[in-house]
Amino acid sequence: MKDPRDVILRPVVSEKSYGLLDTGVYTFEVATQASKPEIRDAVQAIWPGVKVKNVNTLNRKGKRKRNRKSPTMGSRPDIKRAIITLDPSGAQIDLFEVK
């Protein structure tokens, strides 16, 4: 089994993802090779006591960018996101915990 921290890379910080936090839906950037069962198991391993109800994934193609000094084009890396819905049992994920 893969290390859960290699599957879940970072949370997505955006207005839309913040709005979904109240409904128990969390958005993460995940490894491009990760499958839905691997993502579910990684979330449940990183945050014990959390039960995942549903996992939706989407692949985002990296933007093409123009190089400044030469007439060539580069591109940003492709990104895979996972939108995770938690079971409504009341468990939450503390993404930005203060210690």
Side-chain angles (χ1 to χ4, degrees):
M1 182 177 149
K2 295 180 183 178
D3 184 32
R5 300 284 178 178
D6 291 337
V7 176
I8 304 292
L9 301 178
R10 66 187 61 86
V12 174
V13 179
S14 68
E15 277 188 52
K16 187 173 183 179
S17 66
Y18 274 160
L20 292 174
L21 291 179
D22 296 334
T23 61
V25 178
Y26 295 85
T27 307
F28 294 99
E29 187 176 323
V30 296
T32 55
Q33 305 85 11
S35 64
K36 289 182 181 183
E38 287 177 341
I39 294 168
R40 182 194 64 227
D41 294 340
V43 168
Q44 292 177 353
I46 293 172
W47 293 282
V50 170
K51 180 84 171 129
V52 175
K53 179 181 174 186
N54 192 15
V55 176
N56 293 326
T57 59
L58 57 109
N59 290 308
R60 297 185 64 176
K61 182 95 171 118
K63 291 183 178 179
R64 288 181 43 135
K65 290 293 182 180
R66 180 180 61 87
N67 287 332
R68 222 170 232 235
K69 295 189 177 183
S70 64
T72 60
M73 296 292 282
S75 67
R76 291 186 178 170
D78 298 339
I79 295 173
K80 185 172 188 176
R81 288 186 177 186
I83 301 169
I84 298 168
T85 306
L86 298 183
D87 213 22
S89 61
Q92 293 182 347
I93 297 175
D94 294 327
L95 290 179
F96 308 106
E97 53 202 32
V98 178
K99 293 184 180 184

